[in-house]
Amino acid sequence: MVVATKAIVFSAIKYSEADLIVSCFTEVAGIKSYLLRNILKSKKGKLKASYFQPLTQLEIIAEHKNKGTLEYIKEAKVFQPYQTLHTDIIKSGLVMFLSEMLRNCIREEEANTELYGFLENSLLWLDQNDEVANFHIFFLLQLSMYLGFYPDATNIEAKYFNIMEGNFQAVNTNNYCLEGQQIENFKNFFTVDFEFINKIKLSKNERQNLLELVLSYYSFHVQGYQKPKSLAVLNQLFS
């Protein structure tokens, strides 16, 4: 079946001498993996390796056999050209980290237009704005909503956050209840949107500790979660 769809590149891995295996989150079919033959050598083909940098937004025409095998892209063009995402060192570090997290968390081969729209708009915001130190924390919190485990903030004024249950509570009921400045910083991200995340003032250590909290939360709620290898690079960029 030939489909035309928007797609966001999650990863591109070299296969053999001149091929790439590319993982994309497509608007019409969720996660799809494609084999791009000879793309690293051919200069005359319709596909260019530069199209498949992490988190690039594309329009593709692809052949989907839907048999669990690698699919085939017939045509591709950049849908939303980025101005800074792959050239700014901080943003490129965020791209590396977020693409790894997205590969880790999104595996469904089915359409999810709301999630796709969230990713599309979030990446454009990241590309177009300069103050992005808090972006990844807010992004991951919002992403959890689309993945089905957004924390219950009904009792957000309570002292403890139960990282396993995903709620705020007044009483410490188990070893998964956390308190202190880390939790107070976390609460600030529930009452803003992208336009105001730069108003949340955090020291480098506070931001790093808060990211560790969010990743710990993901580890409880994402099946098969793996700690991102790019985390060390991200922490260096923000240190």
Side-chain angles (χ1 to χ4, degrees):
M1 177 175 63
V2 175
V3 300
T5 180
K6 291 190 288 185
I8 298 173
V9 178
F10 280 3
S11 66
I13 301 172
K14 185 177 180 180
Y15 176 73
S16 72
E17 188 175 345
D19 304 341
L20 286 178
I21 295 177
V22 174
S23 174
C24 293
F25 183 60
T26 68
E27 188 175 36
V28 302
I31 289 291
K32 285 290 183 182
S33 293
Y34 301 95
L35 177 61
L36 309 183
R37 291 196 178 279
N38 210 38
I39 190 172
L40 298 178
K41 283 191 173 182
S42 175
K43 297 182 179 179
K44 298 181 180 180
K46 295 181 179 180
L47 304 179
K48 298 179 181 179
S50 60
Y51 292 170
F52 299 96
Q53 296 181 74
L55 302 188
T56 299
Q57 297 187 37
L58 302 173
E59 285 183 316
I60 64 173
I61 297 175
E63 185 175 335
H64 289 175
K65 296 182 179 179
N66 299 316
K67 295 182 179 180
T69 56
L70 294 172
E71 311 287 16
Y72 171 68
I73 294 178
K74 302 177 71 174
E75 298 180 28
K77 63 179 181 179
V78 175
F79 175 66
Q80 297 281 11
Y82 295 136
Q83 303 302 313
T84 64
L85 219 58
H86 292 129
T87 55
D88 180 282
I89 188 169
I90 297 295
K91 292 183 181 181
S92 62
L94 284 170
V95 164
M96 185 187 307
F97 170 75
L98 294 175
S99 62
E100 188 175 359
M101 284 296 296
L102 291 169
R103 292 198 307 273
N104 202 346
C105 299
I106 302 174
R107 305 186 183 98
E108 293 77 13
E109 290 194 28
E110 58 186 31
N112 187 333
T113 54
E114 290 186 355
L115 173 56
Y116 192 94
F118 164 72
L119 297 180
E120 183 177 58
N121 293 329
S122 299
L123 294 172
L124 286 177
W125 189 95
L126 178 61
D127 182 57
Q128 295 166 3
N129 287 269
D130 296 326
E131 296 187 51
V132 299
N134 291 329
F135 174 88
H136 51 309
I137 296 171
F138 184 72
F139 175 88
L140 290 176
L141 178 60
Q142 295 301 306
L143 177 63
S144 71
M145 182 185 304
Y146 296 92
L147 299 179
F149 56 90
Y150 188 78
D152 180 357
T154 305
N155 299 315
I156 196 169
E157 299 301 325
K159 181 178 181 180
Y160 298 96
F161 178 66
N162 189 320
I163 199 169
M164 183 172 67
E165 297 295 334
N167 58 23
F168 294 91
Q169 53 192 57
V171 180
N172 185 345
T173 56
N174 57 38
N175 292 333
Y176 304 106
C177 292
L178 306 177
E179 62 173 321
Q181 189 59 49
Q182 185 186 42
I183 301 305
E184 297 308 310
N185 291 336
F186 187 41
K187 292 177 180 180
N188 291 329
F189 285 82
F190 286 81
T191 56
V192 296
D193 57 25
F194 275 119
E195 297 304 320
F196 296 99
I197 57 174
N198 63 316
K199 303 297 184 184
I200 301 175
K201 301 304 179 184
L202 299 171
S203 70
K204 294 171 183 176
N205 285 338
E206 285 176 328
R207 187 175 294 109
Q208 187 169 330
N209 289 337
L210 187 51
L211 178 57
E212 289 176 359
L213 168 68
V214 174
L215 295 182
S216 294
Y217 182 63
Y218 265 68
S219 72
F220 276 97
H221 299 279
V222 174
Q223 186 175 6
Y225 172 85
Q226 296 179 348
K227 187 175 181 178
K229 297 177 181 178
S230 55
L231 180 60
V233 174
L234 188 69
N235 287 336
Q236 284 186 336
L237 289 172
F238 283 104
S239 64

